[in-house]
Amino acid sequence: MSTKKAIHYLILIAIIATTYVFPAPEGLTNIGWHLAGIYIATIIAIILKAFPLPVILLAGVSLASIAIGIAPDEQWFDNEAQKAVDVALKEKDVLNGYKSSTTWLVFAAFAMSTAFVATGLGKRIAYLLIGKLGSTTLRLGYVNACLDLLISPAMPSVTARAGGIIFPIMNSVAVSLGSEPDTSPRKAGRYLLLNTYMVVKATGYFFITAMAPNMLAMELIGKVYGKSHPFLLDWGQWFYAASIPGLICLFLTPLVVYVLCPPELKKLDNKAIAKKGLEELGPMTIREKTLLGLFILAVVSWALGKYIGIKEASTTAISIMTLLVILGVLAWDDLLKNKGAWNTLVWYGGLLGLSGVLEKAHFFDWLSATMQANLNFGGIDSTIATIIILFMSVAVRYLFASGGAYIAAMVPVFAAVGLAAGADPTLLALGLLFSNCYGGALTHYGSGPAPVIYGAGYNDIKSWWIVGAVFAFGNLLIHVTIGFAWWKALVGMGVL
């Protein structure tokens, strides 16, 4: 074991041990204090990358179950309220995250993501769009945006979208145009690949199924808000909220990247590129046609679910996943080989389970009350307070190389701080949900596809960080102006 690893282990052990050595803060139950130590240690382990993410969450789930199981006898409790919390908590409660419909919605949606890559349908749509629209480098940037917007409802993995479908196409297009990473990155490759990443960070918050952590963030905010401010969106409500500010941001993205990183090559032979790509794919297969039909069925069902009696989006996702196998679009072995889906299932359910027992132990109630008692916003306007918190939520992303780690560590805190400041709960929640995605554009390590795209060698750190800052804080500006107005209108119409 290296010295670095040993130090990491000691830090994690010390965090958990602290909650057993020192008494719980006033107002927090003993079991809530112990579970908080495990939760914080889990987050730190994710940030330190002590182990693979699923292993970290399994360890957290195990330790939380043990902590609940060995909770002390009643004489250890300060009052009957603390005793009641302990009695209400069961070891198996930590596993509730794995039976959550949210967890299974994300997992099942990965099946369609796998199908888009395996059948080649994603690439076919891309080459068709290139042939129709991509006659200039800028228009090719918009082809990228259109493609990502089209397939994002059924692909919760931004890494699969950007890294598995769009990146290989744009990389090969750059090479075919004579743009090499070592000798001529500015000819076309720098723009095309940097735009690929910024676009996926603009579409990731468009749909609740467009990025795996979206629903996790919403669940955590809901737990912090509790019964005082219930917050839960269905697929359609999420889309309505994201649509207006999202469309504006997506429309501006290729243009902004083009201005900041202008390619030397302005025009290209898109017909030849599309023809070559489509010839390599061959005629459209039955599997692709079937997938296209199921994809349309899924989106319609998600959008109209509550009107046709399908209230849970996970019902549609699991049904489509099953049909993909039954109709021969995918083999079950294809799903078994999708490590991203299974890894997400493990860490996602684990994180929901940990947050669930923290909620039962009234940790989030205590956190909100403590924030309210100790933070003084000096009578600042609630809208200004919301904007400040959202600015902080974007800026802090410079410190995180994982969207999952950011959500687990910071979303509950920002939600609690916002409530303490008297922020509008709906504006705050939507702002946090969407900034989680576009905030990841700041750096070349901000989320899964970033290292893949940066690793191609076309982009330098300086240009990436400049474009990322303009993109992220530009999105923030649009969301706290046009977005706030749109969300208030939706609330007024009873949509939210």
Side-chain angles (χ1 to χ4, degrees):
M1 182 186 300
S2 67
T3 303
K4 183 178 179 180
K5 279 283 186 183
I7 293 174
H8 287 173
Y9 296 163
L10 289 174
I11 291 173
L12 300 177
I13 293 170
I15 292 171
I16 298 172
T18 297
T19 65
Y20 284 89
V21 173
F22 296 98
E26 184 179 353
L28 181 62
T29 61
N30 292 330
I31 189 63
W33 179 228
H34 302 325
L35 292 173
I38 294 170
Y39 185 73
I40 294 170
T42 301
I43 294 169
I44 299 298
I46 294 172
I47 295 172
L48 295 176
K49 298 182 178 180
F51 297 100
L53 189 55
V55 175
I56 293 171
L57 266 302
L58 286 175
V61 166
S62 301
L63 290 171
S65 297
I66 293 170
I68 294 171
I70 64 172
D73 296 331
E74 62 182 76
Q75 65 263 24
W76 284 66
F77 295 96
D78 296 334
N79 53 52
E80 287 299 315
Q82 293 203 15
K83 178 182 177 183
V85 168
D86 183 69
V87 171
L89 275 172
K90 307 294 182 185
E91 293 175 53
K92 63 181 180 181
D93 289 343
V94 191
L95 298 175
N96 284 345
Y98 292 107
K99 66 180 184 182
S100 166
S101 61
T102 299
T103 303
W104 286 97
L105 170 58
V106 175
F107 175 74
F110 265 96
M112 198 172 295
S113 174
T114 302
F116 265 93
V117 177
T119 63
L121 180 60
K123 289 185 177 181
R124 186 176 301 278
I125 296 172
Y127 284 121
L128 288 171
L129 288 173
I130 290 172
K132 296 290 184 182
L133 305 172
S135 58
T136 67
T137 316
L138 177 59
R139 295 185 70 175
L140 198 56
Y142 279 98
V143 165
N144 191 333
C146 291
L147 172 63
D148 202 67
L149 183 62
L150 283 173
I151 64 177
S152 59
M155 297 192 74
S157 171
V158 292
T159 304
R161 290 208 311 275
I165 292 180
I166 303 173
F167 165 73
I169 293 173
M170 292 301 167
N171 191 52
S172 63
V173 167
V175 172
S176 70
L177 295 174
S179 181
E180 298 287 346
D182 295 329
T183 57
S184 51
R186 294 182 179 274
K187 189 172 184 180
R190 176 165 297 180
Y191 168 71
L192 292 176
L193 294 187
L194 189 53
N195 182 68
T196 295
Y197 184 69
M198 297 304 157
V199 161
V200 83
K201 303 312 290 181
T203 58
Y205 62 83
F206 232 97
F207 308 96
I208 198 170
T209 49
M211 193 172 73
N214 284 344
M215 285 162 284
L216 174 62
M218 183 170 66
E219 291 260 1
L220 292 178
I221 290 173
K223 293 182 188 303
V224 174
Y225 280 12
K227 296 179 181 179
S228 59
H229 303 287
F231 183 81
L232 184 65
L233 304 178
D234 61 27
W235 197 92
Q237 289 174 314
W238 182 295
F239 171 68
Y240 293 142
S243 59
I244 298 301
L247 282 171
I248 294 171
C249 293
L250 182 60
F251 176 78
L252 291 175
T253 296
L255 180 60
V256 169
V257 180
Y258 189 88
V259 171
L260 295 176
C261 284
E264 296 169 353
L265 182 66
K266 308 300 182 184
K267 294 186 177 182
L268 49 95
D269 188 354
N270 59 309
K271 302 294 183 182
I273 294 172
K275 182 180 179 182
K276 180 181 178 182
L278 291 171
E279 285 177 350
E280 291 176 353
L281 290 172
M284 192 171 185
T285 64
I286 295 177
R287 292 172 66 206
E288 289 178 83
K289 294 176 182 177
T290 305
L291 173 59
L292 182 59
L294 291 175
F295 169 64
I296 294 172
L297 178 63
V299 174
V300 170
S301 180
W302 282 326
L304 304 177
K306 64 181 179 182
Y307 302 108
I308 60 178
I310 304 176
K311 297 179 181 180
E312 291 286 347
S314 57
T315 302
T316 295
I318 294 173
S319 300
I320 295 297
M321 179 179 72
T322 305
L323 287 172
L324 286 171
V325 177
I326 291 175
L327 297 177
V329 177
L330 289 175
W332 179 246
D333 284 345
D334 293 326
L335 297 179
L336 291 177
K337 293 174 184 176
N338 190 335
K339 294 181 180 179
W342 293 102
N343 283 339
T344 300
L345 176 69
V346 173
W347 75 259
Y348 203 108
L351 207 47
L352 283 183
L354 284 175
S355 63
V357 292
L358 279 171
E359 181 187 24
K360 279 192 172 184
H362 302 302
F363 171 77
F364 294 119
D365 292 338
W366 170 82
L367 180 63
S368 297
T370 302
M371 293 286 187
Q372 195 164 5
N374 293 283
L375 289 176
N376 182 10
F377 283 82
I380 191 172
D381 179 77
S382 61
T383 301
I384 300 299
T386 306
I387 293 173
I388 292 172
I389 292 167
L390 293 179
F391 177 86
M392 292 168 57
S393 77
V394 175
V396 78
R397 287 304 303 272
Y398 279 111
L399 305 177
F400 288 88
S402 163
Y406 162 77
I407 289 172
M410 301 307 302
V411 166
V413 174
F414 285 132
V417 170
L419 288 182
D424 182 295
T426 301
L427 299 184
L428 176 66
L430 291 172
L432 288 174
L433 289 176
F434 300 155
S435 69
N436 158 58
C437 181
Y438 62 74
L442 287 171
T443 66
H444 59 296
Y445 52 79
S447 69
V452 176
I453 294 172
Y454 179 76
Y458 283 99
N459 296 102
D460 59 278
I461 294 177
K462 180 181 178 181
S463 63
W464 189 299
W465 281 42
I466 290 173
V467 173
V470 172
F471 171 86
F473 290 106
N475 268 261
L476 176 63
L477 178 61
I478 290 171
H479 279 79
V480 300
T481 51
I482 297 172
F484 276 15
W486 174 239
W487 301 337
K488 289 178 181 178
L490 289 178
V491 171
M493 291 185 289
V495 176
L496 298 180

PDB file of all heavy atoms in Angstrom, residues 404-415:
ATOM      1  N   GLY A 404     -21.244  13.244  -9.969  1.00  0.00           N
ATOM      2  CA  GLY A 404     -21.839  12.514  -8.858  1.00  0.00           C
ATOM      3  C   GLY A 404     -21.324  12.994  -7.518  1.00  0.00           C
ATOM      4  O   GLY A 404     -22.092  13.149  -6.556  1.00  0.00           O
ATOM      5  N   ALA A 405     -20.015  13.243  -7.436  1.00  0.00           N
ATOM      6  CA  ALA A 405     -19.433  13.737  -6.187  1.00  0.00           C
ATOM      7  C   ALA A 405     -19.958  15.125  -5.855  1.00  0.00           C
ATOM      8  O   ALA A 405     -20.263  15.433  -4.694  1.00  0.00           O
ATOM      9  CB  ALA A 405     -17.911  13.772  -6.302  1.00  0.00           C
ATOM     10  N   TYR A 406     -20.068  15.977  -6.858  1.00  0.00           N
ATOM     11  CA  TYR A 406     -20.596  17.322  -6.639  1.00  0.00           C
ATOM     12  C   TYR A 406     -22.031  17.265  -6.114  1.00  0.00           C
ATOM     13  O   TYR A 406     -22.380  17.956  -5.154  1.00  0.00           O
ATOM     14  CB  TYR A 406     -20.551  18.126  -7.940  1.00  0.00           C
ATOM     15  CG  TYR A 406     -21.454  19.336  -7.904  1.00  0.00           C
ATOM     16  CD1 TYR A 406     -21.089  20.488  -7.210  1.00  0.00           C
ATOM     17  CD2 TYR A 406     -22.701  19.311  -8.532  1.00  0.00           C
ATOM     18  CE1 TYR A 406     -21.934  21.583  -7.138  1.00  0.00           C
ATOM     19  CE2 TYR A 406     -23.550  20.407  -8.473  1.00  0.00           C
ATOM     20  CZ  TYR A 406     -23.167  21.535  -7.779  1.00  0.00           C
ATOM     21  OH  TYR A 406     -24.002  22.606  -7.706  1.00  0.00           O
ATOM     22  N   ILE A 407     -22.854  16.435  -6.734  1.00  0.00           N
ATOM     23  CA  ILE A 407     -24.255  16.343  -6.325  1.00  0.00           C
ATOM     24  C   ILE A 407     -24.366  15.846  -4.888  1.00  0.00           C
ATOM     25  O   ILE A 407     -25.100  16.415  -4.067  1.00  0.00           O
ATOM     26  CB  ILE A 407     -25.033  15.421  -7.281  1.00  0.00           C
ATOM     27  CG1 ILE A 407     -25.192  16.110  -8.631  1.00  0.00           C
ATOM     28  CG2 ILE A 407     -26.406  15.064  -6.706  1.00  0.00           C
ATOM     29  CD1 ILE A 407     -25.774  15.218  -9.702  1.00  0.00           C
ATOM     30  N   ALA A 408     -23.636  14.790  -4.576  1.00  0.00           N
ATOM     31  CA  ALA A 408     -23.713  14.222  -3.226  1.00  0.00           C
ATOM     32  C   ALA A 408     -23.203  15.191  -2.170  1.00  0.00           C
ATOM     33  O   ALA A 408     -23.751  15.273  -1.065  1.00  0.00           O
ATOM     34  CB  ALA A 408     -22.924  12.918  -3.169  1.00  0.00           C
ATOM     35  N   ALA A 409     -22.153  15.949  -2.500  1.00  0.00           N
ATOM     36  CA  ALA A 409     -21.521  16.815  -1.506  1.00  0.00           C
ATOM     37  C   ALA A 409     -22.195  18.170  -1.381  1.00  0.00           C
ATOM     38  O   ALA A 409     -22.366  18.691  -0.274  1.00  0.00           O
ATOM     39  CB  ALA A 409     -20.045  17.010  -1.859  1.00  0.00           C
ATOM     40  N   MET A 410     -22.599  18.762  -2.524  1.00  0.00           N
ATOM     41  CA  MET A 410     -22.959  20.171  -2.499  1.00  0.00           C
ATOM     42  C   MET A 410     -24.445  20.465  -2.706  1.00  0.00           C
ATOM     43  O   MET A 410     -24.943  21.467  -2.184  1.00  0.00           O
ATOM     44  CB  MET A 410     -22.154  20.924  -3.572  1.00  0.00           C
ATOM     45  CG  MET A 410     -20.649  20.817  -3.403  1.00  0.00           C
ATOM     46  SD  MET A 410     -20.046  21.278  -1.748  1.00  0.00           S
ATOM     47  CE  MET A 410     -20.650  22.954  -1.583  1.00  0.00           C
ATOM     48  N   VAL A 411     -25.148  19.652  -3.464  1.00  0.00           N
ATOM     49  CA  VAL A 411     -26.560  19.963  -3.736  1.00  0.00           C
ATOM     50  C   VAL A 411     -27.382  20.058  -2.449  1.00  0.00           C
ATOM     51  O   VAL A 411     -28.142  21.021  -2.268  1.00  0.00           O
ATOM     52  CB  VAL A 411     -27.163  18.956  -4.727  1.00  0.00           C
ATOM     53  CG1 VAL A 411     -28.691  19.040  -4.758  1.00  0.00           C
ATOM     54  CG2 VAL A 411     -26.618  19.214  -6.135  1.00  0.00           C
ATOM     55  N   PRO A 412     -27.267  19.090  -1.507  1.00  0.00           N
ATOM     56  CA  PRO A 412     -28.032  19.250  -0.259  1.00  0.00           C
ATOM     57  C   PRO A 412     -27.649  20.511   0.511  1.00  0.00           C
ATOM     58  O   PRO A 412     -28.518  21.157   1.119  1.00  0.00           O
ATOM     59  CB  PRO A 412     -27.674  17.985   0.537  1.00  0.00           C
ATOM     60  CG  PRO A 412     -27.244  16.988  -0.493  1.00  0.00           C
ATOM     61  CD  PRO A 412     -26.544  17.805  -1.529  1.00  0.00           C
ATOM     62  N   VAL A 413     -26.371  20.852   0.485  1.00  0.00           N
ATOM     63  CA  VAL A 413     -25.914  22.040   1.215  1.00  0.00           C
ATOM     64  C   VAL A 413     -26.488  23.314   0.594  1.00  0.00           C
ATOM     65  O   VAL A 413     -27.021  24.182   1.290  1.00  0.00           O
ATOM     66  CB  VAL A 413     -24.374  22.107   1.230  1.00  0.00           C
ATOM     67  CG1 VAL A 413     -23.896  23.417   1.858  1.00  0.00           C
ATOM     68  CG2 VAL A 413     -23.802  20.925   1.993  1.00  0.00           C
ATOM     69  N   PHE A 414     -26.375  23.436  -0.739  1.00  0.00           N
ATOM     70  CA  PHE A 414     -26.901  24.622  -1.407  1.00  0.00           C
ATOM     71  C   PHE A 414     -28.418  24.725  -1.239  1.00  0.00           C
ATOM     72  O   PHE A 414     -28.962  25.826  -1.101  1.00  0.00           O
ATOM     73  CB  PHE A 414     -26.537  24.612  -2.893  1.00  0.00           C
ATOM     74  CG  PHE A 414     -25.097  24.939  -3.171  1.00  0.00           C
ATOM     75  CD1 PHE A 414     -24.337  24.155  -4.015  1.00  0.00           C
ATOM     76  CD2 PHE A 414     -24.503  26.052  -2.590  1.00  0.00           C
ATOM     77  CE1 PHE A 414     -23.005  24.453  -4.284  1.00  0.00           C
ATOM     78  CE2 PHE A 414     -23.168  26.370  -2.839  1.00  0.00           C
ATOM     79  CZ  PHE A 414     -22.422  25.567  -3.690  1.00  0.00           C
ATOM     80  N   ALA A 415     -29.101  23.580  -1.262  1.00  0.00           N
ATOM     81  CA  ALA A 415     -30.558  23.600  -1.062  1.00  0.00           C
ATOM     82  C   ALA A 415     -30.900  24.089   0.341  1.00  0.00           C
ATOM     83  O   ALA A 415     -31.814  24.902   0.532  1.00  0.00           O
ATOM     84  CB  ALA A 415     -31.137  22.206  -1.302  1.00  0.00           C
TER      85      ALA A 415
END
